[in-house]
Amino acid sequence: MKKGNTNAVKTLVISSACAGAILLLPSKGEAALGDQVLRNGMKHPDVKELQRALLHQGYLKSSNVTGYYGPVTTNAVKEFQKMHHIVIDGITGKMTVRAITQKPGVKPPASTSKTVKATYKTLKQGSQGNEVERLQRKLKELKYFKYPKITGYFGRVTADAVKAYQKEKKISASGIADDKTQRLLFKTSSASPVKSQKPVPAKPKPAESSFILRLNSVGSEVFELQSDLKALGFYNYSLDRIFGKKTETSVKSFQKAYKLPVTGVADSKTLTIISAEAKKKEDETAPPSSADLRLHSVGPKVYQLQSDLKVLGFYTYKVDNIFGKMTETSVKSFQKAYNLSVTGVADSKTIEKIKAEVKKKGIEPAKPQTTAKPFSVINLVGDAAELVGTPYTWGGETVEEGFDCSGFLVYLFKKQNVQLPRTIASIWDAGKTVSQPKVGDIVFFETYKKGPSHAGIYIGNNNFVHSGSRGVAVSDIRLSYWTDRYLGAKQLY
């Protein structure tokens, strides 16, 4: 292929990929949130910052701010991405961070007003924290706030309660708890009022308020309900803040399972039980220790693990920094041999035992390699574009001799410091399954034999680049030949 044509193809391929690929690259221009790509399974202070931002905008509950990026956070990010027309992958990349941090609702700087008279902080939809909790308690005490629990988040129910109070007091019914409203509510001029003592009731406390969510209810409270039901496995749809037929059916299923009256209406009792069960489930699903090494872990600690297992004879493959299926099998073999729990996860107990056995051997394992450059999807796709037109050669794995299908993938990923197995079937086994391919993932097909026998790199816009019978080329995955043979996509980095 002529150089001019190659450059044109490269430009075309990179332009089709950049929109997806850029999401995967960490941002260096942001402050704390945005320094790295955040995704499912991570535990980090940046995750907690992300969760606070999502809470502030009504996509998460306060109980979800844990610092662990689990299914609840992933779903919240997907909902945010959907509402802001960003690629819906549940991964917090540069574009998602930018959209979250540019949203209004960030706490304003402290007032520089020289007015002697102290003022209350204005609270409105999206506000959250101790001030909101205090507001909700007071409104609940006066029977305006009817949600069964104090959330600390200013959503639609809180706004409606404030509006009802304002109407009752014949002041502007905006639903915003401004200084005037709070002064009247708390009957004090202090900006930080002392917590009022609980009044002694003149008569027995009435039953819990009859707050309910039913068909056609909308708002953040419906989002919380859907989120809890989803965590419990009763709701498998979009968290759209709308109490529709699907939400009603899910509520009925929950009520039936927990022997409650099956009405489809989320009354106070149903909401309380759902919330309690969701919290219990969240506590049971504790995040894995960050020290554990498991399938798809990468880096120098994996290299050290593989080296140690190699010394002990449990790992006979290349030491490559990647915790793939072969490493998992080796860990299981070690655990079985030493009467440990056979999980395939190198937890602290397993690692300590491995190191102790290596020390007995008296053999010094290989040291971890120096940290490699971070994986770059754009460079992966760009390198692939440079090779368009390279001839197909059975067993080929270099530019000079040409490439076969797997040789092409091994060559490109090696340039990104990722060592792939040599056959398509082994690459399939080593990859992490994804529901929809994104730029840089490998798409697999069943062609001349049963099981995965051909693969290419997905570059966006329904295109993938691969080495087939006509050499390295870009193909449309929507063509009937490929759709009929498509097996799925996997992530290998």
Side-chain angles (χ1 to χ4, degrees), residues 38 131 164 241 416 474:
L38 304 176
E131 295 92 344
R241 296 172 167 73
Q416 295 299 315
V474 175

Side-chain angles (χ1 to χ4, degrees), residues 297-343:
S297 296
V298 295
K301 289 184 179 179
V302 176
Y303 186 97
Q304 187 68 63
L305 172 68
Q306 292 171 331
S307 297
D308 289 344
L309 288 169
K310 198 158 194 169
V311 166
L312 299 173
F314 289 93
Y315 184 78
T316 57
Y317 312 97
K318 182 175 180 179
V319 177
D320 59 5
N321 290 317
I322 304 169
F323 197 121
K325 286 287 186 183
M326 293 178 285
T327 307
E328 183 182 54
T329 300
S330 301
V331 170
K332 285 182 177 179
S333 297
F334 177 86
Q335 290 170 329
K336 184 176 181 181
Y338 286 88
N339 297 318
L340 300 172
S341 179
V342 183
T343 62

Side-chain angles (χ1 to χ4, degrees), residues 265-312:
V265 174
D267 56 15
S268 184
K269 184 175 182 180
T270 299
L271 286 170
T272 301
I273 296 175
I274 289 174
S275 179
E277 290 301 311
K279 183 66 171 67
K280 189 189 299 183
K281 176 90 177 231
E282 186 178 333
D283 293 341
E284 290 171 355
T285 316
S289 168
S290 58
D292 292 353
L293 299 176
R294 61 186 64 230
L295 198 60
H296 309 302
S297 296
V298 295
K301 289 184 179 179
V302 176
Y303 186 97
Q304 187 68 63
L305 172 68
Q306 292 171 331
S307 297
D308 289 344
L309 288 169
K310 198 158 194 169
V311 166
L312 299 173

Side-chain angles (χ1 to χ4, degrees), residues 285-438:
T285 316
S289 168
S290 58
D292 292 353
L293 299 176
R294 61 186 64 230
L295 198 60
H296 309 302
S297 296
V298 295
K301 289 184 179 179
V302 176
Y303 186 97
Q304 187 68 63
L305 172 68
Q306 292 171 331
S307 297
D308 289 344
L309 288 169
K310 198 158 194 169
V311 166
L312 299 173
F314 289 93
Y315 184 78
T316 57
Y317 312 97
K318 182 175 180 179
V319 177
D320 59 5
N321 290 317
I322 304 169
F323 197 121
K325 286 287 186 183
M326 293 178 285
T327 307
E328 183 182 54
T329 300
S330 301
V331 170
K332 285 182 177 179
S333 297
F334 177 86
Q335 290 170 329
K336 184 176 181 181
Y338 286 88
N339 297 318
L340 300 172
S341 179
V342 183
T343 62
V345 175
D347 54 16
S348 57
K349 187 174 182 180
T350 300
I351 291 173
E352 286 175 11
K353 184 63 176 176
I354 289 172
K355 289 187 177 299
E357 293 304 314
V358 168
K359 190 174 181 179
K360 287 181 185 177
K361 284 268 187 181
I363 301 174
E364 186 69 25
K367 296 294 182 185
Q369 297 172 331
T370 55
T371 305
K373 293 180 180 179
F375 188 94
S376 169
V377 173
I378 290 180
N379 288 342
L380 175 73
V381 174
D383 290 342
E386 290 277 11
L387 299 174
V388 170
T390 303
Y392 178 88
T393 303
W394 179 261
E397 52 187 20
T398 65
V399 178
E400 294 73 24
E401 64 180 330
F403 297 99
D404 63 13
C405 174
S406 58
F408 174 67
L409 300 177
V410 169
Y411 174 83
L412 288 171
F413 274 82
K414 188 175 182 180
K415 292 189 73 172
Q416 295 299 315
N417 299 301
V418 174
Q419 183 68 46
L420 297 186
R422 185 57 179 87
T423 66
I424 293 299
S426 297
I427 296 174
W428 167 271
D429 289 339
K432 178 182 179 181
T433 302
V434 294
S435 57
Q436 292 294 329
K438 60 181 181 296

Side-chain angles (χ1 to χ4, degrees), residues 44-62:
H44 193 275
D46 287 0
V47 175
K48 185 169 284 190
E49 188 174 346
L50 166 67
Q51 290 168 333
R52 289 196 187 102
L54 290 168
L55 167 69
H56 200 61
Q57 295 182 38
Y59 291 89
L60 277 179
K61 302 185 299 181
S62 57

